[in-house]
């Protein structure tokens, strides 16, 4: 019975791969298995709708719009940068836009993506930006795209009340409780 189940599973998997139309197949890749830490040689990565659907070492047949030969290069999962400031890309003080206009949001998202994606960073956490940018950045968080950097945010930059000029667009709050409430307000 176990043999019959194993054969059925193999046939089902190979039938599914050959019937499914993939957008991209990356062949001849070395793949990092993040669970074991091992590098698996001669893998094929099948992608549809911006998501990895199958990683296989079998020489199964599949249909793909585009095929890339990785030439035995290492393929790893995307990296996450847990602390970015979009002002580092868009400009500080006078160079920064006061707001990110709706008709320019795609331009700014692409600009941010062009800085991080070439280094393998596919997800980033904005740890502060001018409050006027929050609506746009929260919209990017709500609508991730496989063609751009996925950006999440803790909200606008918040500082405690002190006798100094706040950095670009930082919000001054009176207490840690007020800061916590401000962050909760972004996600209502």
């Amino acid at each position: 019975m176990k043999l019959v189940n194993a054969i059925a599973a193999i046939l089902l998997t190979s039938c599914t791969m050959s019937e499914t139309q993939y957008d991209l197949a990356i062949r001849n890749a070395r793949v990092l298995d993040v669970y074991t830490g091992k590098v698996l040689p001669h893998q094929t990565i099948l992608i549809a709708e911006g998501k990895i659907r199958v990683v296989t070492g079998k020489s199964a047949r599949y249909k793909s719009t585009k095929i890339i030969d990785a030439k035995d290069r290492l393929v790893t999962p995307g990296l996450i940068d847990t602390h970015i400031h979009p002002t580092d890309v868009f400009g500080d003080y006078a160079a920064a836009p006061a707001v990110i206009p709706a008709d320019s949001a795609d331009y700014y998202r692409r600009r941010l993506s062009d800085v991080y994606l070439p280094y393998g960073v596919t997800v980033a956490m904005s740890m502060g930006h001018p409050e006027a940018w929050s609506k746009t950045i929260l919209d990017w968080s709500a609508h991730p795209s496989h063609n751009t950097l996925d950006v999440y945010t803790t909200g606008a930059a918040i500082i405690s009340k002190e006798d100094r000029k706040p950095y670009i667009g930082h919000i001054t709050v009176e207490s840690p409780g007020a800061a916590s409430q401000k962050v909760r307000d972004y996600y209502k």
Side-chain angles (χ1 to χ4, degrees):
M1 187 63 172
K2 287 182 183 180
L3 181 59
V4 171
N5 287 340
I7 292 170
I10 290 168
L11 290 174
L12 182 60
T13 301
S14 60
C15 288
T16 302
M17 283 195 302
S18 65
E19 293 172 8
T20 302
Q21 175 67 39
Y22 296 97
D23 302 319
L24 176 63
I26 303 172
R27 299 180 326 173
N28 195 26
R30 290 184 298 132
V31 175
L32 173 64
D33 182 331
V34 296
Y35 295 105
T36 66
K38 294 180 181 176
V39 175
L40 309 173
H42 311 294
Q43 299 293 301
T44 298
I45 305 164
L46 300 172
I47 300 167
E49 298 174 359
K51 295 187 181 192
I52 296 172
R53 303 297 182 181
V54 178
V55 177
T56 181
K58 297 177 177 61
S59 56
R61 295 179 188 195
Y62 51 84
K63 297 175 190 172
S64 180
T65 305
K66 184 175 182 180
I67 297 173
I68 295 174
D69 183 354
K71 299 178 182 175
D72 202 37
R73 291 188 183 108
L74 180 65
V75 177
T76 66
L79 304 174
I80 301 170
D81 190 326
T82 60
H83 190 137
I84 71 163
H85 293 277
T87 52
D88 294 343
V89 176
F90 302 156
D92 291 347
Y93 292 104
V99 296
I100 299 175
D103 64 352
S104 300
D106 288 342
Y107 165 77
Y108 282 103
R109 189 175 194 177
R110 172 57 39 207
R111 216 168 128 196
L112 199 58
S113 298
D114 288 348
V115 169
Y116 289 94
L117 290 177
Y119 297 99
V121 175
T122 58
V123 177
M125 174 64 85
S126 172
M127 298 301 282
H129 50 268
E131 186 168 33
W133 299 0
S134 292
K135 183 176 186 283
T136 300
I137 293 174
L138 286 167
D139 185 63
W140 294 343
S141 299
H143 301 97
S145 165
H146 65 274
N147 294 320
T148 61
L149 180 70
D150 289 341
V151 182
Y152 298 91
T153 183
T154 58
I158 301 172
I159 61 170
S160 60
K161 188 173 183 173
E162 297 175 10
D163 291 328
R164 64 184 168 118
K165 179 182 176 190
Y167 186 66
I168 178 175
H170 281 52
I171 299 163
T172 303
V173 294
E174 298 290 330
S175 68
S180 179
Q181 183 59 49
K182 188 69 175 168
V183 171
R184 283 193 300 274
D185 290 344
Y186 289 120
Y187 294 96
K188 284 185 176 178

